Amino acid sequence: MFACLIAGQLPNTEFVRVTETQFICNVTVVAGTHHIVVFTTEPFPDGYGGAIYFNWPNPEPVWQYLGYITNDKPSAIFKVSKGSTAPSLAVFGGASTNSQLPQLGVMVTPLSELAQMTAVSENKSLSVASNVQFVQNMLENLYNYLTSFSVTQSEMTPCTDSWVKINHLNGWYERFKSRMSNDPDFWKK
């Protein structure tokens, strides 16, 4: 009923039925794997679709909702991230606890419920937007604070303190904003 594809591997159709509406398969994820394609090989019953979950092997299952597939959208590419900060979801019961491999889960769900679910990537987008806003506010605050002490060269008095030209701060600030808009996670590298 379902299959998944990871780059460089054959399609995996070895989904095991856990309950009437839940299916799981073990997947081999190699270093550098960032995306998984999931598709249905048979139509869903009318009014239903498949909620897609991914589980990294841990002592306890860490299921993350990735998104969905439906009869109107029978396949999709999902980003998987081992270091995700998304909340672990209590799905698929204890069926996954015996596996030391990552697992993909599909839960047949009414379309009305699928429409209300939020995927890990959407949560990350919200988090990235709030991080960007925080950093921009913090930088503007720092900039305003430091420039409030600026003086012209003629106003400077001899002292032993170090000083930085405001144009250097301006240049750094503009480069930082540019990098932040291009890659909000650049500072984590």
Side-chain angles (χ1 to χ4, degrees), residues 146-179:
L146 291 175
T147 56
S148 72
F149 296 105
S150 67
V151 293
T152 63
Q153 190 169 7
S154 64
E155 296 172 321
M156 293 180 70
T157 57
C159 65
T160 58
D161 291 337
S162 299
W163 57 275
V164 175
K165 291 182 178 181
I166 289 297
N167 64 338
H168 291 301
L169 180 61
N170 286 337
W172 172 82
Y173 178 62
E174 292 303 319
R175 281 190 305 277
F176 195 94
K177 284 195 322 186
S178 174
R179 290 182 73 187

mmCIF file of all heavy atoms in Angstrom, residues 146-179:
data_model
loop_
_atom_site.group_PDB
_atom_site.id
_atom_site.type_symbol
_atom_site.label_atom_id
_atom_site.label_comp_id
_atom_site.label_asym_id
_atom_site.label_seq_id
_atom_site.Cartn_x
_atom_site.Cartn_y
_atom_site.Cartn_z
ATOM 1 N N LEU A 146 25.628 51.306 21.267
ATOM 2 C CA LEU A 146 27.007 51.715 20.990
ATOM 3 C C LEU A 146 27.079 53.076 20.285
ATOM 4 O O LEU A 146 27.944 53.889 20.597
ATOM 5 C CB LEU A 146 27.729 50.651 20.157
ATOM 6 C CG LEU A 146 28.022 49.338 20.887
ATOM 7 C CD1 LEU A 146 28.626 48.317 19.942
ATOM 8 C CD2 LEU A 146 28.927 49.573 22.088
ATOM 9 N N THR A 147 26.167 53.307 19.355
ATOM 10 C CA THR A 147 26.215 54.595 18.647
ATOM 11 C C THR A 147 25.806 55.755 19.549
ATOM 12 O O THR A 147 26.137 56.900 19.267
ATOM 13 C CB THR A 147 25.337 54.578 17.377
ATOM 14 O OG1 THR A 147 23.996 54.225 17.719
ATOM 15 C CG2 THR A 147 25.900 53.609 16.340
ATOM 16 N N SER A 148 25.109 55.458 20.636
ATOM 17 C CA SER A 148 24.751 56.542 21.554
ATOM 18 C C SER A 148 25.993 57.128 22.236
ATOM 19 O O SER A 148 25.949 58.237 22.763
ATOM 20 C CB SER A 148 23.746 56.056 22.608
ATOM 21 O OG SER A 148 24.378 55.203 23.545
ATOM 22 N N PHE A 149 27.095 56.405 22.224
ATOM 23 C CA PHE A 149 28.338 56.889 22.810
ATOM 24 C C PHE A 149 29.286 57.484 21.767
ATOM 25 O O PHE A 149 30.398 57.882 22.090
ATOM 26 C CB PHE A 149 29.082 55.745 23.524
ATOM 27 C CG PHE A 149 28.329 55.201 24.699
ATOM 28 C CD1 PHE A 149 27.672 53.981 24.625
ATOM 29 C CD2 PHE A 149 28.258 55.913 25.889
ATOM 30 C CE1 PHE A 149 26.983 53.478 25.702
ATOM 31 C CE2 PHE A 149 27.569 55.414 26.980
ATOM 32 C CZ PHE A 149 26.921 54.191 26.888
ATOM 33 N N SER A 150 28.862 57.519 20.530
ATOM 34 C CA SER A 150 29.776 57.981 19.479
ATOM 35 C C SER A 150 30.063 59.480 19.616
ATOM 36 O O SER A 150 29.210 60.263 20.038
ATOM 37 C CB SER A 150 29.214 57.668 18.090
ATOM 38 O OG SER A 150 28.060 58.424 17.864
ATOM 39 N N VAL A 151 31.264 59.813 19.261
ATOM 40 C CA VAL A 151 31.702 61.205 19.256
ATOM 41 C C VAL A 151 32.496 61.423 17.975
ATOM 42 O O VAL A 151 33.003 60.493 17.366
ATOM 43 C CB VAL A 151 32.590 61.540 20.490
ATOM 44 C CG1 VAL A 151 31.787 61.473 21.769
ATOM 45 C CG2 VAL A 151 33.794 60.630 20.566
ATOM 46 N N THR A 152 32.593 62.682 17.589
ATOM 47 C CA THR A 152 33.418 62.989 16.418
ATOM 48 C C THR A 152 34.879 62.997 16.852
ATOM 49 O O THR A 152 35.192 63.050 18.053
ATOM 50 C CB THR A 152 33.044 64.358 15.816
ATOM 51 O OG1 THR A 152 33.330 65.354 16.794
ATOM 52 C CG2 THR A 152 31.578 64.400 15.404
ATOM 53 N N GLN A 153 35.771 62.999 15.879
ATOM 54 C CA GLN A 153 37.191 62.975 16.202
ATOM 55 C C GLN A 153 37.607 64.218 16.989
ATOM 56 O O GLN A 153 38.411 64.145 17.904
ATOM 57 C CB GLN A 153 38.038 62.840 14.937
ATOM 58 C CG GLN A 153 39.487 62.565 15.236
ATOM 59 C CD GLN A 153 40.258 62.168 13.992
ATOM 60 O OE1 GLN A 153 39.747 62.220 12.892
ATOM 61 N NE2 GLN A 153 41.495 61.780 14.194
ATOM 62 N N SER A 154 36.998 65.339 16.680
ATOM 63 C CA SER A 154 37.353 66.569 17.403
ATOM 64 C C SER A 154 36.857 66.551 18.855
ATOM 65 O O SER A 154 37.387 67.256 19.705
ATOM 66 C CB SER A 154 36.803 67.790 16.662
ATOM 67 O OG SER A 154 35.391 67.740 16.652
ATOM 68 N N GLU A 155 35.813 65.739 19.126
ATOM 69 C CA GLU A 155 35.282 65.642 20.487
ATOM 70 C C GLU A 155 36.045 64.632 21.347
ATOM 71 O O GLU A 155 35.837 64.575 22.556
ATOM 72 C CB GLU A 155 33.806 65.235 20.461
ATOM 73 C CG GLU A 155 32.903 66.255 19.800
ATOM 74 C CD GLU A 155 31.484 65.734 19.624
ATOM 75 O OE1 GLU A 155 31.318 64.539 19.294
ATOM 76 O OE2 GLU A 155 30.560 66.530 19.795
ATOM 77 N N MET A 156 36.906 63.834 20.741
ATOM 78 C CA MET A 156 37.631 62.804 21.489
ATOM 79 C C MET A 156 38.668 63.432 22.411
ATOM 80 O O MET A 156 39.318 64.409 22.055
ATOM 81 C CB MET A 156 38.312 61.817 20.532
ATOM 82 C CG MET A 156 37.338 60.971 19.745
ATOM 83 S SD MET A 156 38.142 59.840 18.636
ATOM 84 C CE MET A 156 38.843 58.692 19.774
ATOM 85 N N THR A 157 38.786 62.876 23.576
ATOM 86 C CA THR A 157 39.818 63.314 24.517
ATOM 87 C C THR A 157 40.835 62.185 24.636
ATOM 88 O O THR A 157 40.479 61.006 24.497
ATOM 89 C CB THR A 157 39.204 63.608 25.898
ATOM 90 O OG1 THR A 157 38.539 62.439 26.367
ATOM 91 C CG2 THR A 157 38.235 64.765 25.832
ATOM 92 N N PRO A 158 42.083 62.516 24.890
ATOM 93 C CA PRO A 158 43.086 61.452 25.027
ATOM 94 C C PRO A 158 42.713 60.497 26.163
ATOM 95 O O PRO A 158 42.319 60.929 27.250
ATOM 96 C CB PRO A 158 44.377 62.203 25.346
ATOM 97 C CG PRO A 158 44.131 63.607 24.923
ATOM 98 C CD PRO A 158 42.660 63.847 25.033
ATOM 99 N N CYS A 159 42.780 59.201 25.872
ATOM 100 C CA CYS A 159 42.485 58.196 26.885
ATOM 101 C C CYS A 159 43.192 56.895 26.521
ATOM 102 O O CYS A 159 43.700 56.747 25.414
ATOM 103 C CB CYS A 159 40.986 57.984 27.042
ATOM 104 S SG CYS A 159 40.204 57.284 25.583
ATOM 105 N N THR A 160 43.178 55.947 27.426
ATOM 106 C CA THR A 160 43.823 54.657 27.173
ATOM 107 C C THR A 160 42.815 53.598 26.738
ATOM 108 O O THR A 160 43.192 52.462 26.499
ATOM 109 C CB THR A 160 44.550 54.179 28.446
ATOM 110 O OG1 THR A 160 43.596 54.079 29.505
ATOM 111 C CG2 THR A 160 45.673 55.126 28.818
ATOM 112 N N ASP A 161 41.541 53.967 26.662
ATOM 113 C CA ASP A 161 40.515 53.009 26.229
ATOM 114 C C ASP A 161 40.664 52.688 24.749
ATOM 115 O O ASP A 161 41.112 53.514 23.950
ATOM 116 C CB ASP A 161 39.107 53.569 26.451
ATOM 117 C CG ASP A 161 38.757 53.691 27.930
ATOM 118 O OD1 ASP A 161 39.376 52.977 28.739
ATOM 119 O OD2 ASP A 161 37.865 54.494 28.252
ATOM 120 N N SER A 162 40.255 51.483 24.376
ATOM 121 C CA SER A 162 40.201 51.123 22.958
ATOM 122 C C SER A 162 38.951 51.730 22.355
ATOM 123 O O SER A 162 37.952 51.949 23.052
ATOM 124 C CB SER A 162 40.157 49.604 22.801
ATOM 125 O OG SER A 162 41.310 49.021 23.337
ATOM 126 N N TRP A 163 38.952 51.952 21.060
ATOM 127 C CA TRP A 163 37.775 52.477 20.393
ATOM 128 C C TRP A 163 37.662 51.848 19.018
ATOM 129 O O TRP A 163 38.621 51.347 18.446
ATOM 130 C CB TRP A 163 37.799 53.995 20.307
ATOM 131 C CG TRP A 163 39.017 54.556 19.618
ATOM 132 C CD1 TRP A 163 40.231 54.817 20.163
ATOM 133 C CD2 TRP A 163 39.113 54.888 18.230
ATOM 134 N NE1 TRP A 163 41.091 55.297 19.214
ATOM 135 C CE2 TRP A 163 40.430 55.349 18.017
ATOM 136 C CE3 TRP A 163 38.231 54.854 17.152
ATOM 137 C CZ2 TRP A 163 40.876 55.769 16.771
ATOM 138 C CZ3 TRP A 163 38.677 55.275 15.926
ATOM 139 C CH2 TRP A 163 39.991 55.732 15.743
ATOM 140 N N VAL A 164 36.460 51.874 18.515
ATOM 141 C CA VAL A 164 36.156 51.301 17.205
ATOM 142 C C VAL A 164 35.408 52.352 16.411
ATOM 143 O O VAL A 164 34.492 52.993 16.916
ATOM 144 C CB VAL A 164 35.274 50.035 17.344
ATOM 145 C CG1 VAL A 164 34.858 49.507 15.989
ATOM 146 C CG2 VAL A 164 35.974 48.973 18.162
ATOM 147 N N LYS A 165 35.807 52.523 15.171
ATOM 148 C CA LYS A 165 35.096 53.472 14.312
ATOM 149 C C LYS A 165 33.683 52.949 14.042
ATOM 150 O O LYS A 165 33.487 51.759 13.803
ATOM 151 C CB LYS A 165 35.828 53.640 12.983
ATOM 152 C CG LYS A 165 37.143 54.358 13.094
ATOM 153 C CD LYS A 165 37.744 54.513 11.703
ATOM 154 C CE LYS A 165 39.039 55.280 11.737
ATOM 155 N NZ LYS A 165 39.586 55.441 10.385
ATOM 156 N N ILE A 166 32.723 53.847 14.080
ATOM 157 C CA ILE A 166 31.325 53.471 13.849
ATOM 158 C C ILE A 166 31.147 52.871 12.460
ATOM 159 O O ILE A 166 30.346 51.948 12.287
ATOM 160 C CB ILE A 166 30.393 54.689 14.060
ATOM 161 C CG1 ILE A 166 30.326 55.024 15.555
ATOM 162 C CG2 ILE A 166 28.997 54.437 13.523
ATOM 163 C CD1 ILE A 166 29.727 53.938 16.427
ATOM 164 N N ASN A 167 31.905 53.316 11.454
ATOM 165 C CA ASN A 167 31.730 52.743 10.120
ATOM 166 C C ASN A 167 32.117 51.264 10.106
ATOM 167 O O ASN A 167 31.596 50.484 9.312
ATOM 168 C CB ASN A 167 32.468 53.552 9.052
ATOM 169 C CG ASN A 167 33.964 53.543 9.223
ATOM 170 O OD1 ASN A 167 34.466 53.301 10.313
ATOM 171 N ND2 ASN A 167 34.672 53.838 8.151
ATOM 172 N N HIS A 168 33.035 50.831 10.988
ATOM 173 C CA HIS A 168 33.349 49.396 11.092
ATOM 174 C C HIS A 168 32.166 48.632 11.680
ATOM 175 O O HIS A 168 31.839 47.537 11.225
ATOM 176 C CB HIS A 168 34.596 49.164 11.949
ATOM 177 C CG HIS A 168 35.858 49.650 11.314
ATOM 178 N ND1 HIS A 168 36.314 49.199 10.099
ATOM 179 C CD2 HIS A 168 36.764 50.568 11.731
ATOM 180 C CE1 HIS A 168 37.443 49.802 9.787
ATOM 181 N NE2 HIS A 168 37.736 50.657 10.770
ATOM 182 N N LEU A 169 31.542 49.203 12.684
ATOM 183 C CA LEU A 169 30.345 48.598 13.263
ATOM 184 C C LEU A 169 29.226 48.551 12.223
ATOM 185 O O LEU A 169 28.532 47.537 12.088
ATOM 186 C CB LEU A 169 29.891 49.369 14.506
ATOM 187 C CG LEU A 169 28.638 48.835 15.205
ATOM 188 C CD1 LEU A 169 28.856 47.411 15.705
ATOM 189 C CD2 LEU A 169 28.246 49.752 16.351
ATOM 190 N N ASN A 170 29.046 49.625 11.464
ATOM 191 C CA ASN A 170 28.034 49.652 10.393
ATOM 192 C C ASN A 170 28.270 48.530 9.393
ATOM 193 O O ASN A 170 27.347 47.820 8.996
ATOM 194 C CB ASN A 170 28.042 50.991 9.654
ATOM 195 C CG ASN A 170 27.433 52.109 10.458
ATOM 196 O OD1 ASN A 170 26.643 51.867 11.350
ATOM 197 N ND2 ASN A 170 27.812 53.340 10.127
ATOM 198 N N GLY A 171 29.529 48.375 8.951
ATOM 199 C CA GLY A 171 29.864 47.336 7.974
ATOM 200 C C GLY A 171 29.589 45.944 8.506
ATOM 201 O O GLY A 171 28.993 45.095 7.826
ATOM 202 N N TRP A 172 30.004 45.704 9.747
ATOM 203 C CA TRP A 172 29.758 44.401 10.360
ATOM 204 C C TRP A 172 28.253 44.130 10.469
ATOM 205 O O TRP A 172 27.775 43.041 10.142
ATOM 206 C CB TRP A 172 30.396 44.343 11.748
ATOM 207 C CG TRP A 172 30.010 43.116 12.507
ATOM 208 C CD1 TRP A 172 30.559 41.869 12.396
ATOM 209 C CD2 TRP A 172 28.954 42.996 13.454
ATOM 210 N NE1 TRP A 172 29.915 40.991 13.231
ATOM 211 C CE2 TRP A 172 28.912 41.671 13.901
ATOM 212 C CE3 TRP A 172 28.035 43.897 13.981
ATOM 213 C CZ2 TRP A 172 28.001 41.209 14.837
ATOM 214 C CZ3 TRP A 172 27.123 43.444 14.911
ATOM 215 C CH2 TRP A 172 27.114 42.112 15.334
ATOM 216 N N TYR A 173 27.499 45.120 10.911
ATOM 217 C CA TYR A 173 26.062 44.984 11.092
ATOM 218 C C TYR A 173 25.368 44.645 9.767
ATOM 219 O O TYR A 173 24.541 43.739 9.698
ATOM 220 C CB TYR A 173 25.504 46.270 11.700
ATOM 221 C CG TYR A 173 24.013 46.289 11.897
ATOM 222 C CD1 TYR A 173 23.391 45.380 12.738
ATOM 223 C CD2 TYR A 173 23.217 47.232 11.257
ATOM 224 C CE1 TYR A 173 22.026 45.397 12.931
ATOM 225 C CE2 TYR A 173 21.845 47.260 11.446
ATOM 226 C CZ TYR A 173 21.257 46.339 12.283
ATOM 227 O OH TYR A 173 19.905 46.356 12.466
ATOM 228 N N GLU A 174 25.732 45.342 8.713
ATOM 229 C CA GLU A 174 25.122 45.080 7.400
ATOM 230 C C GLU A 174 25.478 43.679 6.887
ATOM 231 O O GLU A 174 24.628 42.979 6.344
ATOM 232 C CB GLU A 174 25.541 46.149 6.380
ATOM 233 C CG GLU A 174 24.959 47.526 6.673
ATOM 234 C CD GLU A 174 23.436 47.529 6.757
ATOM 235 O OE1 GLU A 174 22.771 46.860 5.944
ATOM 236 O OE2 GLU A 174 22.909 48.211 7.661
ATOM 237 N N ARG A 175 26.731 43.246 7.051
ATOM 238 C CA ARG A 175 27.138 41.892 6.633
ATOM 239 C C ARG A 175 26.394 40.833 7.446
ATOM 240 O O ARG A 175 25.950 39.827 6.895
ATOM 241 C CB ARG A 175 28.651 41.712 6.781
ATOM 242 C CG ARG A 175 29.453 42.338 5.669
ATOM 243 C CD ARG A 175 30.921 41.942 5.699
ATOM 244 N NE ARG A 175 31.574 42.216 6.975
ATOM 245 C CZ ARG A 175 32.074 43.374 7.355
ATOM 246 N NH1 ARG A 175 32.008 44.412 6.532
ATOM 247 N NH2 ARG A 175 32.651 43.515 8.530
ATOM 248 N N PHE A 176 26.264 41.064 8.735
ATOM 249 C CA PHE A 176 25.569 40.104 9.593
ATOM 250 C C PHE A 176 24.108 39.969 9.167
ATOM 251 O O PHE A 176 23.584 38.867 9.053
ATOM 252 C CB PHE A 176 25.666 40.525 11.058
ATOM 253 C CG PHE A 176 25.288 39.428 12.010
ATOM 254 C CD1 PHE A 176 26.256 38.606 12.552
ATOM 255 C CD2 PHE A 176 23.956 39.217 12.372
ATOM 256 C CE1 PHE A 176 25.916 37.586 13.433
ATOM 257 C CE2 PHE A 176 23.611 38.202 13.240
ATOM 258 C CZ PHE A 176 24.591 37.383 13.775
ATOM 259 N N LYS A 177 23.437 41.099 8.928
ATOM 260 C CA LYS A 177 22.034 41.055 8.484
ATOM 261 C C LYS A 177 21.905 40.310 7.162
ATOM 262 O O LYS A 177 20.983 39.522 6.979
ATOM 263 C CB LYS A 177 21.471 42.481 8.337
ATOM 264 C CG LYS A 177 21.141 43.140 9.647
ATOM 265 C CD LYS A 177 20.271 44.383 9.519
ATOM 266 C CE LYS A 177 20.560 45.258 8.357
ATOM 267 N NZ LYS A 177 19.802 46.512 8.354
ATOM 268 N N SER A 178 22.837 40.547 6.243
ATOM 269 C CA SER A 178 22.802 39.874 4.943
ATOM 270 C C SER A 178 22.969 38.361 5.108
ATOM 271 O O SER A 178 22.217 37.576 4.523
ATOM 272 C CB SER A 178 23.903 40.433 4.045
ATOM 273 O OG SER A 178 23.972 39.721 2.848
ATOM 274 N N ARG A 179 23.937 37.970 5.900
ATOM 275 C CA ARG A 179 24.161 36.539 6.131
ATOM 276 C C ARG A 179 22.958 35.916 6.815
ATOM 277 O O ARG A 179 22.571 34.788 6.503
ATOM 278 C CB ARG A 179 25.417 36.313 6.958
ATOM 279 C CG ARG A 179 26.695 36.629 6.185
ATOM 280 C CD ARG A 179 27.934 36.353 6.980
ATOM 281 N NE ARG A 179 28.138 34.916 7.099
ATOM 282 C CZ ARG A 179 29.069 34.372 7.861
ATOM 283 N NH1 ARG A 179 29.880 35.129 8.558
ATOM 284 N NH2 ARG A 179 29.194 33.066 7.910
#
